[in-house]
Amino acid sequence: AQKVTQAQTEISVVEKEDVTLDCVYETRDTTYYLFWYKQPPSGELVFLIRRNSFDEQNEISGRYSWNFQKSTSSFNFTITASQVVDSAVYFCALSEARGNEKLTFGTGTRLTIIP
Amino acid sequence: DAGVIQSPRHEVTEMGQEVTLRCKPISGHDYLFWYRQTMMRGLELLIYFNNNVPIDDSGMPEDRFSAKMPNASFSTLKIQPSEPRDSAVYFCASSLQGALPGAKNIQYFGAGTRLSVL
């Protein structure tokens, strides 16, 4: 069975600080995909990134970066120089790569950026 | 391009009434998913379709829930009769599993329907 754990329920940081959101996953599959989604206060779910299990390169997109470590089954998300607009709930998710696209979500981390 | 469109955005109904939630997936996508989000259970998959065919409905809570996808551009989730514990945000998502690089296996979500059953 698949499982995604986001141990940090809530995080608050002052604007311009860096913050890392942790994600640990469990799966028996050798091929899988990992995702991060953002849910701002308006409620929609916004796709941020997809990473497949064969690609362990870290990725950077502007102020966002992702660290995928297969050895520790982790896929952490770092926001550099945080801004108030980053305040949201962030979800990590996992899916198998057998043509079955079911997403298993973590419980989410509520990030509050204090101006 | 339009994203996933859900209607209504908000629904308030009384216990025992029938509720129908609607979803229009992104054009060309071949997978459609229905999720429910609650404080207690988080985001949980209810059912998903591939090419309009239901593939896995193991997440549907009980017989009061049903979902259909009569064509590639429309799906409904129906609750009959509704109960207060059905109050939640219901999301529809679609994805494309095809040959285009980067297009595969990314679920794009609608804005959700917030359902309140009194």
Side-chain angles (χ1 to χ4, degrees):
Chain A
Q2 298 180 325
K3 185 178 179 181
V4 176
T5 301
Q6 294 180 257
Q8 303 154 308
T9 306
E10 295 190 24
I11 300 176
S12 294
V13 300
V14 176
E15 194 174 19
K16 297 184 183 178
E17 288 185 352
D18 299 347
V19 58
T20 295
L21 309 182
D22 297 334
C23 173
V24 174
Y25 62 92
E26 296 176 28
T27 179
R28 294 179 182 176
D29 299 316
T30 55
T31 304
Y32 49 89
Y33 291 98
L34 295 163
F35 302 80
W36 277 94
Y37 284 84
K38 175 182 180 180
Q39 187 173 39
S42 50
E44 71 273 23
L45 278 161
V46 179
F47 165 77
L48 295 179
I49 189 171
R50 180 196 70 166
R51 169 69 70 224
N52 74 54
S53 52
F54 294 114
D55 183 1
E56 289 193 67
Q57 286 190 348
N58 292 332
E59 181 157 341
I60 299 174
S61 176
R63 296 183 297 107
Y64 295 172
S65 62
W66 290 269
N67 184 343
F68 176 31
Q69 292 196 345
K70 223 170 176 178
S71 60
T72 56
S73 297
S74 65
F75 186 44
N76 296 336
F77 173 29
T78 297
I79 302 175
T80 303
S82 59
Q83 300 176 2
V84 173
V85 293
D86 297 327
S87 296
V89 180
Y90 291 87
F91 291 94
C92 182
L94 168 70
S95 77
E96 301 168 354
R98 303 182 214 158
N100 176 341
E101 298 196 30
K102 293 170 62 173
L103 277 176
T104 299
F105 282 90
T107 50
T109 297
R110 181 177 298 278
L111 176 63
T112 301
I113 308 301
I114 303 166
Chain B
D1 288 340
V4 176
I5 299 172
Q6 291 187 245
S7 63
R9 290 296 313 278
H10 302 275
E11 177 78 35
V12 180
T13 190
E14 292 186 348
M15 183 174 63
Q17 296 297 305
E18 177 179 296
V19 175
T20 299
L21 311 181
R22 296 173 176 80
C23 175
K24 176 179 170 57
I26 293 172
S27 178
H29 280 192
D30 55 355
Y31 279 80
L32 184 138
F33 304 80
W34 283 100
Y35 290 88
R36 178 170 69 174
Q37 184 178 34
T38 60
M39 289 295 293
M40 292 298 296
R41 301 175 66 90
L43 273 160
E44 50 182 348
L45 177 67
L46 300 178
I47 184 172
Y48 75 97
F49 297 81
N50 176 218
N51 292 323
N52 313 337
V53 176
I55 302 301
D56 185 349
D57 66 354
S58 60
M60 296 285 262
E62 48 197 276
D63 292 346
R64 298 185 297 107
F65 285 70
S66 62
K68 294 182 180 179
M69 192 165 185
N71 57 62
S73 59
F74 183 66
S75 176
T76 59
L77 177 67
K78 186 175 293 186
I79 308 172
Q80 166 63 21
S82 58
E83 296 182 3
R85 60 191 167 122
D86 302 330
S87 298
V89 179
Y90 291 82
F91 286 101
C92 177
S94 70
S95 69
L96 171 65
Q97 185 168 2
L100 292 176
K104 183 174 178 177
N105 203 21
I106 296 174
Q107 293 184 27
Y108 294 95
F109 284 75
T113 295
R114 182 174 296 277
L115 173 64
S116 297
V117 183
L118 307 177

